[in-house]
Amino acid sequence: MKEGHYVLKPEQRPAPLDVVGTKVTILASSSETGTYGITFQKGEEGSGPPPHCHDWDEAFYVISGEVNFECAGE
């Protein structure tokens, strides 16, 4: 893990990517932080990717609305 802090000013944010109808802004990549990535995602109800999995952990902070998750078949 890289030592120190990571600061991204609002004017430094890249343009969002369109991922299956959800706008995804990459705020920090694992190459920048050393261990994890941070994204900001915004989409309309029903938008977003179909069920899928990754080889890495993810954490979510839901500001409004709902997100459905499946883990190990549950």
Side-chain angles (χ1 to χ4, degrees):
M1 182 165 103
K2 293 183 180 180
E3 293 186 26
H5 60 274
Y6 180 83
V7 176
L8 180 70
K9 297 177 182 177
E11 64 270 13
Q12 295 173 308
R13 292 181 188 167
L17 305 170
D18 187 345
V19 181
V20 195
T22 298
K23 299 296 183 191
V24 179
T25 303
I26 300 172
L27 301 176
S29 68
S30 60
S31 63
E32 294 168 310
T33 66
T35 58
Y36 59 90
I38 302 172
T39 63
F40 176 78
Q41 301 182 26
K42 185 173 184 178
E44 298 299 319
E45 183 176 345
S47 68
H52 66 285
C53 63
H54 299 287
D55 292 335
W56 59 84
D57 292 333
E58 290 185 293
F60 294 84
Y61 183 85
V62 180
I63 297 171
S64 66
E66 295 181 8
V67 179
N68 295 316
F69 295 95
E70 180 179 317
C71 184
E74 295 183 33

